Amino acid sequence: AQSVSQHNHHVILSEAASLELGCNYSYGGTVNLFWYVQYPGQHLQLLLKYFSGDPLVKGIKGFEAEFIKSKFSFNLRKPSVQWSDTAEYFCVTVSGGYQKVTFGTGTKLQVIP
Amino acid sequence: NAGVTQTPKFRVLKTGQSMTLLCAQDMNHEYMYWYRQDPGMGLRLIHYSVGEGTTAKGEVPDGYNVSRLKKQNFLLGLESAAPSQTSVYFCASRQGQGAEQYFGPGTRLTVT
């Protein structure tokens, strides 16, 4: 079965630190990849997505992610985090003929001013 | 556009009671989804629909039923609520293959 692993469950950073959140997926076929963010008390919003083409994808608020097919990875990065980036981040895949959606378990990011 | 809306926003049920959660989208999307979100478990797919009149089971369908009689609405039913169904429920919709999902604001359900 398709699975998505986010190895960091809780990350604490100081403002201006660099961020990298890991995401690995198990599906071997064509897959669409997404990162969503959930700010405290709010619903999920799209940060960025990858379908094809340039494996380095830029999203909103200075986030980017790199698709590495050989490693089945889609890690999220930001060079310098802000307190307002405190949120939970979810890696999501959509794959197969039935467009099955699979969420990772999420990574809670806490940024300390 | 209102996007994706969910009613109600909060609900408390007693064990054994039934209820229906309504999800509505005004974007003419084909696909609709119901998820539950529990601490440390991310979002788990309950049921989904790939078009009006169709439904399919997701990862955790037991104890839930759904209907998609109209393209814009996707209903999630709990016939006999159990404390294990205490959760936050999110509805989402998207247009088609590869498109992003748009999420509703969530429904917080507590079953006592």
Side-chain angles (χ1 to χ4, degrees), chain A residues 55 85 105:
Chain A
D85 293 324
T105 53

Side-chain angles (χ1 to χ4, degrees), chain B residues 2-13:
Chain B
V4 180
T5 58
Q6 292 181 232
T7 52
K9 288 188 169 52
F10 303 93
R11 186 73 186 267
V12 178
L13 289 178

Side-chain angles (χ1 to χ4, degrees), chain A residues 13-62:
Chain A
L13 294 173
S14 298
E15 271 193 319
S18 64
L19 170 72
E20 180 159 3
L21 301 182
C23 172
N24 288 91
Y25 61 93
S26 63
Y27 188 70
T30 300
V31 63
N32 301 137
L33 297 150
F34 303 79
W35 276 98
Y36 283 85
V37 60
Q38 187 177 30
Y39 297 103
Q42 297 187 27
H43 58 89
L44 285 88
Q45 303 168 42
L46 181 70
L47 266 183
L48 48 78
K49 57 187 176 184
Y50 173 79
F51 297 156
S52 63
D54 188 344
L56 185 61
V57 179
K58 294 195 184 300
I60 60 170
K61 302 186 181 186

Side-chain angles (χ1 to χ4, degrees), chain A residues 6 8-15 17-21 35 37-40 47 63 76-78 80-90 106-112:
Chain A
Q6 292 182 242
N8 313 105
H9 298 295
H10 197 178
V11 172
I12 302 174
L13 294 173
S14 298
E15 271 193 319
S18 64
L19 170 72
E20 180 159 3
L21 301 182
W35 276 98
V37 60
Q38 187 177 30
Y39 297 103
L47 266 183
F63 286 90
L76 181 71
R77 300 195 291 248
K78 185 170 183 179
S80 175
V81 294
Q82 300 172 313
W83 176 79
S84 58
D85 293 324
T86 295
E88 191 161 13
Y89 293 81
F90 294 92
T107 297
K108 285 189 177 176
L109 171 65
Q110 184 179 356
V111 180
I112 301 170

Side-chain angles (χ1 to χ4, degrees), chain B residues 1-54:
Chain B
N1 279 356
V4 180
T5 58
Q6 292 181 232
T7 52
K9 288 188 169 52
F10 303 93
R11 186 73 186 267
V12 178
L13 289 178
K14 290 188 183 346
T15 297
Q17 287 184 317
S18 63
M19 79 163 294
T20 300
L21 281 66
L22 170 64
C23 175
Q25 52 94 5
D26 60 2
M27 297 172 282
N28 202 35
H29 285 173
E30 292 294 332
Y31 295 74
M32 295 187 75
Y33 303 82
W34 274 108
Y35 297 92
R36 58 178 290 172
Q37 183 179 30
D38 302 292
M41 303 187 78
L43 272 76
R44 292 181 291 168
L45 183 63
I46 305 171
H47 287 280
Y48 65 102
S49 168
V50 300
E52 181 179 323
T54 74

Side-chain angles (χ1 to χ4, degrees), chain B residues 28-99:
Chain B
N28 202 35
H29 285 173
E30 292 294 332
Y31 295 74
M32 295 187 75
Y33 303 82
W34 274 108
Y35 297 92
R36 58 178 290 172
Q37 183 179 30
D38 302 292
M41 303 187 78
L43 272 76
R44 292 181 291 168
L45 183 63
I46 305 171
H47 287 280
Y48 65 102
S49 168
V50 300
E52 181 179 323
T54 74
T55 63
K57 292 181 180 180
E59 187 183 349
V60 288
D62 294 341
Y64 305 95
N65 56 74
V66 287
S67 65
R68 183 102 181 265
L69 299 178
K70 292 183 180 180
K71 188 176 184 178
Q72 63 268 34
N73 295 339
F74 195 31
L75 278 65
L76 177 71
L78 286 73
E79 288 188 350
S80 180
S84 61
Q85 293 177 305
T86 293
S87 187
V88 180
Y89 292 84
F90 286 98
C91 175
S93 72
R94 65 189 183 95
Q95 178 51 33
Q97 286 206 5

